[in-house]
Amino acid sequence: MSKLTISPLGGVGQIGSNATLISYEETNIIIDAGILFPSEDCFDINYLIPDLSDVKLKISNIIISHGHEDHIGAISHYIEKFPEAQIHAPKFAKELIEDKLNYLDLSKKIHRLDDTLIIDKIEINAVHVNHSIPNTKGLHLGIKEIDTGILFISDFKSDFNCPYEGPIDLEQMKSLARKYTNRISMLDSTNITSSALRTTSESELKSDLSKFIKDAPGRVFITCFASNIHRIQTIFDIAKEQNLKVITYGRSLLKYTRIASECEIFDDHGLIREVESVQDLSKKQIIICSGSQGEFRGTVKRISSGNDKFFKVNEKDTFIFSSKAIPGNEKKLAFLYNELTSSGAEVITNANGLIHASGHPGKEDLKDVYEAYLPTIAIPIHGETYFIRKHIEFLNTILPKSKALEIANRDVVTIFANGEVKLNKTEEVPPILIHGNRIEIEREKISERRKMATLGSVFISIANNSIKKASGRVHITALGIPYEEDQLNQLKELCFNLYQEKGTLDQRSEKIRIATRRYFQNILGYRPLAIVHIC
């Protein structure tokens, strides 16, 4: 009997690493190839990706829904794992991917995804939806042989008044729904707990943003997500109306606005300037900065800390945060607000006015799609476990006749030709940690980093030569540990005496390591890492 299987590789129970494997007969398709940004306790790991080592199927195509990093950030890894797969992406995402591959010196043709794509017996329709990045697509996969359709929209909102693009295409969803008896929906759960039943339209932000910019006595620094081209367009439109010049400041902002201009979805009105070209940086103008989440190396953080090459904060400056704190970043942003305020600047957030709109659906936005498509099976995705569970509860109230499935990463949903549905729960596979030059790093190394960061480290080198005094044979370097010079001298004598005892080099090295940790335990109250090298 023919069957369809669906298995999320990432993006369920978490926000990030979005990737979903869909298989029918010999056709295997992956939707999205995203990264997961690490938590702070990962100690500067670049990002995480799903472990693809157990995916033994031949992947024929990878379909990208939009250009956010949690949907395209791992594309180079997927290309290396599945070199024969064809890549399809909407125009803006396509250009972003090509820019990414060019930076990595990788070559791969990226096909533009517009309307309809036929892959063997699967018909894929790109459905226009609204989101916080242009050219976002919902994907509908239809299989006539088993009379089944899948509406997959991992990120969206219903914006019926967006000035930069059309509204979400509910009519196309209705039309597609009429073709299939079995209809499966896989929709965004990110904002399911939001008190706002309907997500704010991008068009509603202009009034307050315009007022805050007009009322500012001096320079206006605005930060938002660099990929939010529509927000940046609103700022440029306001700048044109108020006769202000605009500086885009930050590598990511320069990249996104450049690519958006090339795609003809952004118009800078001739107002854009690079900071190096501006002679008078003290006059009133708009500076759009990257680093809206208080990132350590972000542009806003550099300015607020007084370490920026071009800008020093003063009492006439206004900082507008046209963004929302990603969960976990609240403390970093609070510290940033305090730094800027201490420097005399005015800080404006979405608590002061309507200056940010989410890209994700409230309950009414979800209801728009559910009523248009009327799924027989509804599978919430794109959200942490708590959000998924709350989405299930919501589904039970608005679609009592539909079957709501709660799944986790690596679970397998099987749909048979007769409409029967089977859910196989599986054990989740831990993600891969990527650091530095796209290098996989073992999970144990994170534990080592944690110990080094919290406890400090002591490196002991003992020269195996004829010198008889400890001062000439033992060298100690202590990092991240408070100590006095005479304490290190005492430790040198201790290590030298243990080195002279009987036993193999390994045995004596271990004795020295243990003794060093105990020595600092008595001084500090904790044991740092100790590494001994006898040469």
Side-chain angles (χ1 to χ4, degrees), residues 7-175:
S7 179
L9 305 176
V12 180
Q14 60 190 185
I15 297 179
S17 285
N18 293 285
T20 302
L21 173 62
I22 297 178
S23 300
Y24 179 69
E25 294 183 349
E26 300 301 315
T27 305
N28 304 295
I29 297 169
I30 291 178
I31 298 176
D32 289 330
I35 59 173
L36 175 68
F37 293 103
S39 57
E40 288 186 356
D41 60 2
C42 280
F43 292 93
D44 212 28
I45 292 300
N46 288 21
Y47 54 86
L48 298 84
I49 64 172
D51 186 344
L52 304 173
S53 60
D54 64 337
V55 181
K56 305 300 183 183
L57 300 171
K58 180 181 178 181
I59 305 300
S60 62
N61 290 266
I62 298 174
I63 316 295
I64 300 299
S65 62
H66 65 284
H68 276 147
E69 284 295 293
D70 60 333
H71 293 260
I72 67 169
I75 191 67
S76 61
H77 299 278
Y78 282 72
I79 289 171
E80 290 172 346
K81 171 67 177 176
F82 311 111
E84 296 180 3
Q86 298 292 306
I87 315 293
H88 308 265
K91 183 178 181 180
F92 191 41
K94 174 181 181 292
E95 297 297 326
L96 291 170
I97 292 170
E98 289 176 343
D99 183 80
K100 185 185 296 289
L101 296 181
N102 183 58
Y103 177 78
L104 296 172
D105 199 24
L106 294 174
S107 177
K108 179 72 175 181
K109 182 176 177 59
I110 311 299
H111 302 277
R112 180 169 164 177
L113 176 68
D114 287 315
D115 299 314
T116 303
L117 176 66
I118 306 296
I119 301 175
D120 298 328
K121 297 179 180 178
I122 302 177
E123 179 179 297
I124 301 176
N125 295 96
V127 181
H128 171 68
V129 299
N130 308 116
H131 187 38
S132 54
I133 188 171
N135 291 157
T136 298
K137 301 295 183 181
L139 300 172
H140 187 273
L141 292 78
I143 306 170
K144 291 182 178 179
E145 284 192 338
I146 56 173
D147 195 16
T148 299
I150 306 169
L151 182 63
F152 184 99
I153 319 178
S154 61
D155 294 65
F156 79 99
K157 68 177 182 180
S158 297
D159 192 341
F160 299 107
N161 298 299
C162 181
Y164 311 117
E165 63 181 11
I168 185 171
D169 198 341
L170 299 175
E171 290 304 315
Q172 186 181 6
M173 297 178 199
K174 292 177 183 177
S175 175

Side-chain angles (χ1 to χ4, degrees), residues 263-532:
C263 292
E264 299 182 341
I265 53 175
F266 170 65
D267 181 3
D268 65 19
H269 302 306
L271 303 174
I272 196 168
R273 297 186 298 175
E274 293 189 8
V275 66
E276 293 85 357
S277 68
V278 180
Q279 292 184 346
D280 186 1
L281 293 172
S282 64
K283 63 188 294 187
K284 182 169 183 177
Q285 54 201 311
I286 296 173
I287 303 99
I288 307 179
C289 307
S290 55
S292 66
Q293 297 302 301
E295 299 95 323
F296 179 71
R297 296 183 181 89
T299 305
V300 179
K301 176 63 179 174
R302 190 173 64 247
I303 295 172
S304 71
S305 61
N307 296 318
D308 189 71
K309 179 180 178 181
F310 296 99
F311 296 105
K312 302 299 178 186
V313 182
N314 63 58
E315 67 280 357
K316 290 185 177 181
D317 291 335
T318 299
F319 280 77
I320 299 176
F321 286 78
S322 184
S323 56
K324 181 181 178 182
I326 295 173
N329 289 343
E330 293 86 356
K331 288 185 178 180
K332 286 192 292 187
L333 282 170
F335 184 79
L336 200 60
Y337 300 159
N338 285 330
E339 273 192 324
L340 292 167
T341 303
S342 297
S343 299
E346 178 73 15
V347 175
I348 295 171
T349 72
N350 61 349
N352 303 108
L354 195 57
I355 59 174
H356 173 66
S358 173
H360 299 278
K363 290 186 175 69
E364 289 299 316
D365 302 69
L366 284 166
K367 195 174 178 182
D368 290 337
V369 176
Y370 283 126
E371 289 181 346
Y373 194 66
L374 294 175
T376 55
I377 302 167
I379 306 173
I381 57 169
H382 202 285
E384 297 170 2
T385 304
Y386 175 71
F387 298 161
I388 299 291
R389 184 69 54 83
K390 290 299 177 182
H391 197 158
I392 292 285
E393 293 174 6
F394 174 65
L395 282 166
N396 290 334
T397 64
I398 66 165
L399 294 174
K401 295 182 180 180
S402 299
K403 182 178 181 62
L405 292 180
E406 180 180 345
I407 63 172
N409 289 332
R410 304 289 174 152
D411 287 351
V412 179
V413 179
T414 304
I415 299 96
F416 297 92
N418 60 3
E420 179 187 352
V421 180
K422 183 180 180 181
L423 172 60
N424 290 328
K425 305 293 288 185
T426 61
E427 186 173 336
E428 188 162 353
V429 180
I432 299 295
L433 310 176
I434 304 296
H435 188 55
N437 190 22
R438 300 172 62 251
I439 297 170
E440 295 184 14
I441 185 170
E442 297 85 357
R443 200 162 290 273
E444 292 75 19
K445 298 297 182 184
I446 300 300
S447 178
E448 290 182 13
R449 287 175 176 232
R450 184 177 294 109
K451 290 176 181 177
M452 292 176 69
T454 57
L455 302 176
S457 303
V458 182
F459 300 90
I460 301 163
S461 179
I462 302 178
N464 190 12
N465 55 34
S466 59
I467 300 174
K468 299 299 182 183
K469 293 183 179 181
S471 59
R473 302 191 65 171
V474 181
H475 180 73
I476 297 177
T477 301
L479 300 178
I481 298 171
Y483 64 87
E484 296 177 3
E485 196 63 34
D486 63 333
Q487 291 171 335
L488 284 193
N489 291 332
Q490 292 174 14
L491 180 58
K492 285 181 180 181
E493 292 290 342
L494 173 62
C495 294
F496 181 66
N497 292 333
L498 290 172
Y499 169 75
Q500 290 182 308
E501 291 184 2
K502 293 181 179 180
T504 66
L505 284 180
D506 286 346
Q507 289 170 338
R508 285 180 283 168
S509 177
E510 182 63 9
K511 282 184 179 181
I512 293 169
R513 188 188 72 82
I514 293 171
T516 299
R517 299 192 73 205
R518 287 175 177 168
Y519 180 81
F520 278 105
Q521 168 78 41
N522 293 330
I523 297 172
L524 305 173
Y526 60 86
R527 300 184 181 190
L529 287 177
I531 298 172
V532 180

Side-chain angles (χ1 to χ4, degrees), residues 196-308:
L197 295 180
R198 185 172 290 285
T199 301
T200 303
S201 168
E202 196 69 27
S203 63
E204 298 177 58
L205 309 183
K206 187 175 181 180
S207 176
D208 280 4
L209 280 171
S210 182
K211 182 178 185 304
F212 287 130
I213 292 170
K214 184 177 181 180
D215 292 346
R219 299 177 301 188
V220 182
F221 295 84
I222 304 179
T223 184
C224 62
F225 294 107
S227 60
N228 197 333
I229 298 301
H230 292 160
R231 187 74 44 80
I232 295 170
Q233 184 67 67
T234 296
I235 296 167
F236 270 86
D237 290 349
I238 294 170
K240 181 181 179 182
E241 292 170 4
Q242 298 188 19
N243 196 29
L244 293 171
K245 296 293 185 180
V246 183
I247 297 172
T248 49
Y249 196 34
R251 187 172 60 183
S252 60
L253 266 167
L254 291 169
K255 180 185 80 170
Y256 278 97
T257 52
R258 172 182 59 81
I259 295 175
S261 294
E262 293 170 358
C263 292
E264 299 182 341
I265 53 175
F266 170 65
D267 181 3
D268 65 19
H269 302 306
L271 303 174
I272 196 168
R273 297 186 298 175
E274 293 189 8
V275 66
E276 293 85 357
S277 68
V278 180
Q279 292 184 346
D280 186 1
L281 293 172
S282 64
K283 63 188 294 187
K284 182 169 183 177
Q285 54 201 311
I286 296 173
I287 303 99
I288 307 179
C289 307
S290 55
S292 66
Q293 297 302 301
E295 299 95 323
F296 179 71
R297 296 183 181 89
T299 305
V300 179
K301 176 63 179 174
R302 190 173 64 247
I303 295 172
S304 71
S305 61
N307 296 318
D308 189 71

